[in-house]
Amino acid sequence: MPSTSLPAQLARTARFTRGVPGYFTVTPDGATVLFLRGRTGDDPAPCLWMLDLDSGTERLLADPVRLLGPRPRPRGIEAYATDRAVGLVVFALGGGLWTVGLDGGEAWRLPARPPVSDPRPDPTGSHIAYVCRGALRVIGKDGTGDRTIAEPDAADVEFGVAAHTAATAPDGRARGHWWSPEGTALLVARTDVARVRRWNLTDPAAPGTPPRTVRYATAGTPNPDVSLQLVALDGTLTPVRWGRDAFEYLVGADWDDHGPLAVVQSRDQRTVQLLGIDPADGHTTPLHEQWDARWVQLIPGLPARTGSGALLAHADRHGTRHLTVDGAAVTPPGLQLRAVLGVDGDDVLFTASDEPTETHLWTWRRGSGVRRLSSGPGVHEGVSRGGTLVRVTHDAEGPGGRAVVLREGRPGAVPLVPLAERPVLDLHATPLVLGPNRLPAMLYLPSWHRPGDQPLPVLLDPYGGAARQRVSAALDWRSLVAQWFAEQGFAVLVADGRGTPGRGPDWEREVHGDLFGPVLDDQVTALHEAARRHPALDLGRVGIRGWSFSGALAALAVLRRPDVFHAAVAGAGVTDQRLYDAHWRERFLGHPDAFPERYDACDLLREAPRLSRPLLLIHGLADTKVLPLHTLRLSDALLAAGRPHEVLLLPGAGHQPLGTAVTENLLRHQVRFLRRSLGMATEGSGVPS
């Protein structure tokens, strides 16, 4: 059957991300759009392109293979930045700093010190700042004057890097330096990790390789010490002062036409402040404060200011997350704000949901109010400037989405050519709303299954936790994996429970203090409700699989509810919550010194002696997001309790191995385990595969 080639397609296309247009920039006049896209649906090296809206033609600006040669294959252009006028475009490639214009000239490598990361031109297009081995450097656009303007004063110090700023960045990418509008100074993060715990990671498959040391702040342990400096082009540093003992997280910053800004957060994450910074002496003034008894949700793109200086933020009121302007809610009840994508003068482009499986594009303008810019079921996003909107729609048509460009005053839309491969199998999915909590769900059945056929074993395939939806109007690679498992002879159920986004702040905060209890209850409810409606589901044979959060959820399902779940595949799960990222885990459970009982209640190691069902644990040995020790310690606890289980370790694999060379064998290994554990026919015994 064609479904058998999906795993190979996932690896070839890097989970259908190759050949997809993305990372859009619109010129101030709205006449040109820049974007990244590979040459084909399996091209691993994204190129930089431009679309001329007057002619409707695309032109290649920078091809990594042409610039660096085909051997070894370059990684491609993963990001770029421009000046205000989009006359100067810069990017890092092969460790070097490259520039290109829109006039048709060839990209040029500047004599910057390698390796170059996060290069950004100043708004006037005169200079380019970049990070090199922890130092912030500046070079002229013509390649002259390369110099350091912020030099680390200790081995554990970096300038221009601030990991937690990704939480409020519209594009989800962390930044650590921000130019002044005049291009005469920068606001720069200084990060000192000296007090952060060291972790030595080794690869048992390569014993001759020295251990890799990483800094990783786990729950209850010291975080990096992050501060801000105002840095002039001559290297003069002015410290930015705020109460860092009370607000130790720097989660955002900017320098707009009204001055520099910082967004800071308390360790308990219940208070967030927006600080105005005096560029003369670094003194800060609180401009806005948010507080919540559980946690303040960080929203991409917020806080921010419009061109006229109005303050954009959000407020959670009566079950709705509103966009606010100068403290007043400008979005209606029931419309859940997702992100602010950009501000063009006084026009605000944002995404929001009035139905949790869909996300639409909206705009707000003073005097005009809010207006929806997208239609039809889907997850929509975009970029807008100069009267031109790039609208990206992710729907049931296929992974990767479809991008079109619309220009004010001109009829029709100009499509950006998608080159992503078409999936080799089609979905056979039924949307469901289950139980008293109205849980959104999708039921995937085999293409060959017919009404009246024998009931199918059930495989739950959730994420289920905070910050990620699995059930939406968009078809993505995870949906295709669910269908692939269905083709192997399962009824696959995917359900979103409490804690998942899209249904408002109260729903998201249902997991505060207990990450797993409500989520597991919702999965059980979804299973029983789906089986009540669909006789094709066999409740006597139920498996569950998951990765990362849902990996821990899958393991917990067979530990706590063996009456419901008969086998589990748990990949890269956090088994000891004290040994996970401090910023993320303390958001939901608090500080472990203050709430040890919450951590104990979510500790899978304590529940290991309860295992009575087949359990397969999987972990990549190069995983730096969820360290392999989580799976190894759970296995050790199970062994000490005399509980049989299986462990699959993946040498050289990181946190998400699907989409790499091991994809096909990894998925087939899970199928064989589940078939064996649930008493199904094995491959080659007449069951479609």
Side-chain angles (χ1 to χ4, degrees):
M1 294 179 63
S3 64
T4 58
S5 62
L6 177 73
Q9 193 178 33
L10 288 170
R12 184 173 64 253
T13 64
R15 305 192 298 272
F16 295 97
T17 59
R18 292 174 177 166
V20 177
Y23 213 92
F24 305 102
T25 300
V26 182
T27 55
D29 61 2
T32 305
V33 177
L34 273 62
F35 61 97
L36 298 178
R37 186 190 60 204
R39 287 181 172 274
T40 64
D42 60 358
D43 183 1
C47 304
L48 178 63
W49 303 77
M50 64 171 281
L51 171 67
D52 184 327
L53 292 176
D54 291 328
S55 64
T57 58
E58 295 180 2
R59 180 160 60 84
L60 181 63
L61 291 179
D63 180 354
V65 174
R66 191 170 70 199
L67 297 176
L68 296 181
R71 297 287 184 272
R73 184 83 175 178
R75 292 184 59 181
I77 302 171
E78 298 179 352
Y80 65 91
T82 76
D83 61 359
R84 184 188 296 115
V86 196
L88 176 67
V89 184
V90 305
F91 56 90
L93 179 66
L97 173 60
W98 298 76
T99 70
V100 68
L102 308 189
D103 56 4
E106 191 72 33
W108 178 41
R109 181 168 181 166
L110 297 180
R113 181 176 295 180
V116 171
S117 65
D118 198 19
R120 296 187 177 274
D122 78 79
T124 70
S126 300
H127 297 88
I128 303 162
Y130 67 96
V131 177
C132 176
R133 302 190 187 281
L136 186 70
R137 299 178 63 86
V138 167
I139 188 172
K141 70 174 183 179
D142 59 358
T144 62
D146 186 31
R147 62 196 183 276
T148 296
I149 62 170
E151 182 77 40
D153 51 352
D156 296 310
V157 171
E158 289 183 292
F159 280 96
V161 177
H164 293 121
T165 58
T168 59
D171 60 3
R173 295 173 183 255
R175 294 182 59 181
H177 56 283
W178 302 264
W179 279 102
S180 68
E182 304 81 13
T184 56
L186 296 106
L187 180 65
V188 181
R190 177 188 183 274
T191 299
D192 184 349
V193 297
R195 64 186 186 181
V196 179
R197 186 174 180 180
R198 296 174 182 263
W199 299 82
N200 297 312
L201 307 182
T202 61
D203 185 353
T209 303
R212 177 187 177 192
T213 300
V214 298
R215 301 283 192 163
Y216 191 61
T218 57
T221 68
N223 276 308
D225 179 16
V226 182
S227 57
L228 284 170
Q229 305 273 347
L230 294 159
V231 183
L233 292 184
D234 63 3
T236 302
L237 273 64
T238 302
V240 175
R241 299 183 297 276
W242 78 88
R244 282 165 46 217
D245 289 341
F247 294 92
E248 65 180 78
Y249 287 118
L250 174 72
V251 294
D254 198 6
W255 197 330
D256 61 19
D257 290 338
H258 306 283
L261 301 168
V263 186
V264 296
Q265 181 187 50
S266 59
R267 175 82 188 228
D268 64 14
Q269 303 188 49
R270 296 192 294 175
T271 309
V272 172
Q273 284 188 346
L274 174 67
L275 305 176
I277 303 170
D278 188 330
D281 61 9
H283 177 76
T284 59
T285 303
L287 303 177
H288 181 68
E289 181 172 291
Q290 293 169 280
W291 181 87
D292 188 271
R294 289 162 291 186
W295 75 83
V296 174
Q297 186 70 22
L298 299 174
I299 304 299
L302 292 178
R305 288 187 288 209
T306 66
S308 60
L311 177 63
L312 303 174
H314 78 278
D316 295 342
R317 298 171 183 167
H318 309 295
T320 297
R321 176 160 295 140
H322 297 272
L323 174 68
T324 63
V325 179
D326 287 335
V330 297
T331 50
L335 183 63
Q336 307 294 346
L337 177 68
R338 297 277 196 151
V340 169
L341 303 180
V343 180
D344 184 21
D346 286 338
D347 291 349
V348 182
L349 184 70
F350 64 97
T351 54
S353 300
D354 52 13
E355 199 283 321
T357 64
E358 298 182 15
T359 300
H360 284 277
L361 269 176
W362 298 75
T363 186
W364 175 86
R365 178 184 296 175
R366 192 180 297 278
S368 302
V370 297
R371 179 168 60 95
R372 199 165 96 169
L373 304 179
S374 57
S375 61
V379 174
H380 305 266
E381 57 186 355
V383 173
S384 180
R385 191 180 187 190
T388 293
L389 171 68
V390 181
R391 187 181 66 207
V392 182
T393 299
H394 303 269
D395 57 18
E397 293 298 313
R402 294 171 288 110
V404 298
V405 184
L406 303 102
R407 199 172 181 189
E408 282 185 358
R410 298 197 178 186
V414 179
L416 284 166
V417 179
L419 302 176
E421 291 188 11
R422 179 173 178 79
V424 296
L425 81 169
D426 296 322
L427 297 188
H428 299 269
T430 302
L432 303 170
V433 178
L434 301 171
N437 280 335
R438 299 187 56 79
L439 305 172
M442 295 291 289
L443 178 63
Y444 300 82
L445 295 177
S447 60
W448 42 264
H449 190 265
R450 299 292 179 265
D453 286 355
Q454 289 295 315
L456 296 166
V458 187
L459 178 62
L460 273 68
D461 187 21
Y463 183 77
R468 176 174 292 168
Q469 283 181 266
R470 282 290 309 277
V471 182
S472 78
L475 186 160
D476 69 3
W477 68 272
R478 295 178 179 87
S479 308
L480 293 164
V481 171
Q483 184 64 49
W484 183 85
F485 272 97
E487 298 297 335
Q488 315 311 309
F490 299 92
V492 180
L493 181 64
V494 178
D496 285 343
R498 281 169 282 183
T500 53
R503 293 185 60 174
D506 296 341
W507 183 257
E508 291 175 356
R509 294 187 174 107
E510 283 285 325
V511 296
H512 184 254
D514 184 358
L515 274 172
F516 293 115
V519 175
L520 183 56
D521 289 345
D522 287 342
Q523 294 300 315
V524 173
T525 297
L527 171 65
H528 288 156
E529 285 292 307
R532 185 176 61 83
R533 298 188 195 181
H534 294 269
L537 278 62
D538 181 358
L539 291 182
R541 296 180 294 170
V542 178
I544 181 171
R545 67 179 294 270
W547 206 269
S548 197
F549 175 85
S550 57
L553 179 63
L556 199 66
V558 290
L559 289 169
R560 287 189 182 175
R561 295 301 305 270
D563 57 318
V564 175
F565 300 97
H566 307 107
V569 175
V574 177
T575 61
D576 183 343
Q577 308 311 311
R578 290 176 173 85
L579 297 178
Y580 191 56
D581 178 75
H583 189 242
W584 188 246
R585 194 49 83 235
E586 291 177 16
R587 177 177 304 176
F588 307 102
L589 299 182
H591 196 287
D593 291 347
F595 303 99
E597 72 286 354
R598 294 178 181 175
Y599 285 82
D600 291 344
C602 295
D603 189 345
L604 275 66
L605 306 184
R606 289 171 172 259
E607 305 200 36
R610 302 173 60 176
L611 182 66
S612 60
R613 297 294 191 181
L615 172 61
L616 170 62
L617 303 173
I618 308 174
H619 217 121
L621 291 175
D623 191 344
T624 57
K625 184 175 180 64
V626 178
L627 301 179
L629 65 88
H630 287 278
T631 287
L632 296 173
R633 290 190 179 184
L634 178 57
S635 176
D636 184 57
L638 291 167
L639 189 62
R643 302 301 177 184
H645 62 286
E646 299 183 24
V647 180
L648 176 62
L649 301 177
L650 308 174
H655 186 60
Q656 182 49 270
L658 288 188
T660 69
V662 303
T663 300
E664 183 148 14
N665 289 331
L666 179 58
L667 288 174
R668 293 198 176 280
H669 186 84
Q670 295 177 52
V671 168
R672 287 191 292 269
F673 170 82
L674 289 166
R675 281 179 167 165
R676 183 176 72 248
S677 301
L678 298 177
M680 301 168 60
T682 59
E683 289 179 282
S685 302
V687 175
S689 61

